[in-house]
Amino acid sequence: MKAAVWTGINKVEIKDVPIPEIGSEEALLKVRCAGVCVTDFHIISGKLKIGKMPNIQGHEICAEVVKINSKNSDLKIGQRCVVKTSLGCGECEYCRSGKQYLCKNSSEIGYYPHNGGYAEYLKVPVSQIVPIPDSVSDYAASIMESCVCPTESLMNFKVPFNGDVIVFGAGPAGLAYIMLSKLMGARRVISVVRQNKFDRAYSFGADIVIDSASDIVKEVEKITNGEFCELVIEATGNASIISMTPNVCKKGGRIIQYGIPGDDEVVNYPIKKLIVDEITIHGAVGNTKAWYPLIDLIDQGKLNLEKLVTHEFKLEDINKAFDLYRNHDSSLIKAVIKF
């Protein structure tokens, strides 16, 4: 089969590799569509030191079942599905509570030693397969993983009903947070983006858009009459933005930290303000409980994930997708590899 193999810093090669052999309670999937995640680009470019090479990346996967080796599954051959990528030992307190991403032996499909969806086929544990209805397109399914973490964090940490939410970033996660915050009852969603992304933020549901080059704290203070925002969502990973988020958070408010800064970047939090204003910071990485609720939102027509897809490539052209990130292409929201 053909696969895109990460073999070195800024080096991804199309290679012929064997179709994986499945073991007990595993399934072989034929990939239909795979989302291209900025995290993968940050890994292959050396910004994030996760996993090791050689490896087939790709953790945003829409596929169909072509072979099953299970005594406990009612999956059918040809079933379209998405893949829950977080893996754990299955026995520790975190795994037992559905938080295998916190397991000390946690791993993820698409990161070494597990191959991912940038290939014609992959094998996965049957337990990681989530069937999808016909109403969920291959495009929507292939980028669902990029929205499932934002969905779960809002399920866990709650959108303030009829309150103000501010979202930093207009990438896939930032836009998902805008759409989901509106669906979950926010009174106003304030988006902080570069000026060339104003239209994008408004088109995904932002009520107010602030230029990230402006005096953000002063602008938010003016908009909220000095109260600031009950929920602050950071989805850029920019260290200077992360350091600033407590300054736009209401007293007693919450910050969801989703963006991941580079390994060598330093975040300078105003610790005294966090203490005195009783601001709570939540890291957002889990994606175990939100798959079915997210599928339901798409199935009911309440959430249009296809709108996030701006580029499509064949597997052999995957480096063109990474080049969009490398060149900071302003037209990019989400690229997918279509098989």
Side-chain angles (χ1 to χ4, degrees):
M1 69 173 184
K2 297 290 185 184
V5 185
W6 173 43
T7 58
I9 297 300
N10 285 315
K11 191 173 183 181
V12 175
E13 300 177 86
I14 305 300
K15 295 191 172 204
D16 285 307
V17 300
I19 294 175
E21 296 287 335
I22 62 172
S24 176
E25 296 305 319
E26 289 185 331
L28 181 68
L29 305 182
K30 179 177 174 57
V31 181
R32 296 172 65 98
C33 206
V36 180
C37 182
V38 68
T39 303
D40 288 340
F41 170 68
H42 286 160
I43 291 169
I44 67 170
S45 63
K47 180 179 180 181
L48 292 177
K49 300 172 179 64
I50 299 174
K52 62 181 181 178
M53 61 197 84
N55 183 231
I56 301 169
Q57 296 178 306
H59 55 273
E60 301 178 7
I61 304 160
C62 171
E64 64 181 87
V65 178
V66 295
K67 189 175 181 181
I68 309 166
N69 185 5
S70 173
K71 298 178 180 178
N72 306 304
S73 174
D74 56 2
L75 284 168
K76 301 290 191 296
I77 301 299
Q79 172 68 60
R80 294 171 61 249
C81 61
V82 289
V83 178
K84 297 186 292 183
T85 53
S86 293
L87 302 171
C89 71
E91 299 177 355
C92 70
E93 63 174 301
Y94 298 113
C95 289
R96 293 197 304 270
S97 64
K99 296 182 178 180
Q100 55 262 43
Y101 48 88
L102 298 180
C103 172
K104 68 178 181 180
N105 295 312
S106 67
S107 57
E108 186 166 351
I109 294 167
Y111 298 116
Y112 187 89
H114 306 288
N115 288 324
Y118 298 154
E120 292 180 290
Y121 296 89
L122 80 156
K123 68 173 184 177
V124 300
V126 169
S127 60
Q128 301 303 110
I129 295 173
V130 181
I132 55 174
D134 291 341
S135 58
V136 179
S137 70
D138 286 357
Y139 281 150
S142 71
I143 63 169
M144 195 179 299
E145 199 277 343
S146 67
C147 299
V148 74
C149 288
T151 304
E152 182 145 326
S153 67
L154 291 178
M155 289 169 61
N156 288 336
F157 307 129
K158 311 303 180 187
V159 171
F161 181 71
N162 206 32
D164 287 334
V165 176
I166 185 167
V167 179
F168 290 87
L175 296 173
Y177 272 119
I178 291 172
M179 292 189 288
L180 291 162
S181 295
K182 295 291 287 185
L183 278 173
M184 294 183 181
R187 178 170 68 101
R188 293 185 298 189
V189 176
I190 302 166
S191 171
V192 182
V193 295
R194 295 189 184 95
Q195 197 167 44
N196 65 345
K197 294 185 178 178
F198 272 33
D199 289 344
R200 176 185 295 182
Y202 279 124
S203 72
F204 279 85
D207 297 290
I208 300 169
V209 181
I210 296 174
D211 188 347
S212 58
S214 68
D215 186 332
I216 297 169
V217 176
K218 186 176 290 185
E219 291 295 319
V220 176
E221 184 177 27
K222 189 188 305 179
I223 292 165
T224 61
N225 295 318
E227 291 295 317
F228 297 101
C229 298
E230 289 96 327
L231 180 62
V232 179
I233 299 169
E234 204 295 314
T236 72
N238 182 292
S240 61
I241 293 291
I242 297 171
S243 300
M244 183 267 292
T245 52
N247 295 321
V248 296
C249 190
K250 188 174 184 176
K251 291 182 179 181
R254 288 160 290 129
I255 299 170
I256 293 177
Q257 183 57 49
Y258 178 86
I260 302 175
D263 289 341
D264 299 324
E265 294 181 273
V266 176
V267 174
N268 295 305
Y269 266 134
I271 297 299
K272 183 177 179 181
K273 180 175 180 59
L274 293 174
I275 297 168
V276 173
D277 288 355
E278 287 197 339
I279 293 170
T280 304
I281 302 170
H282 302 280
V285 70
N287 63 6
T288 56
K289 296 181 292 187
W291 290 92
Y292 288 98
L294 187 57
I295 289 170
D296 286 343
L297 286 174
I298 300 169
D299 184 49
Q300 295 163 14
K302 294 179 179 178
L303 189 66
N304 180 11
L305 289 192
E306 280 192 42
K307 189 177 178 182
L308 292 166
V309 178
T310 54
H311 295 76
E312 176 190 316
F313 298 95
K314 297 291 187 182
L315 180 65
E316 55 265 31
D317 294 323
I318 192 171
N319 282 298
K320 293 181 181 178
F322 290 130
D323 283 342
L324 293 172
Y325 289 117
R326 189 172 288 111
N327 299 327
H328 304 286
D329 192 305
S330 62
S331 68
L332 173 66
I333 299 178
K334 198 72 185 174
V336 298
I337 303 302
K338 182 70 174 173
F339 288 82

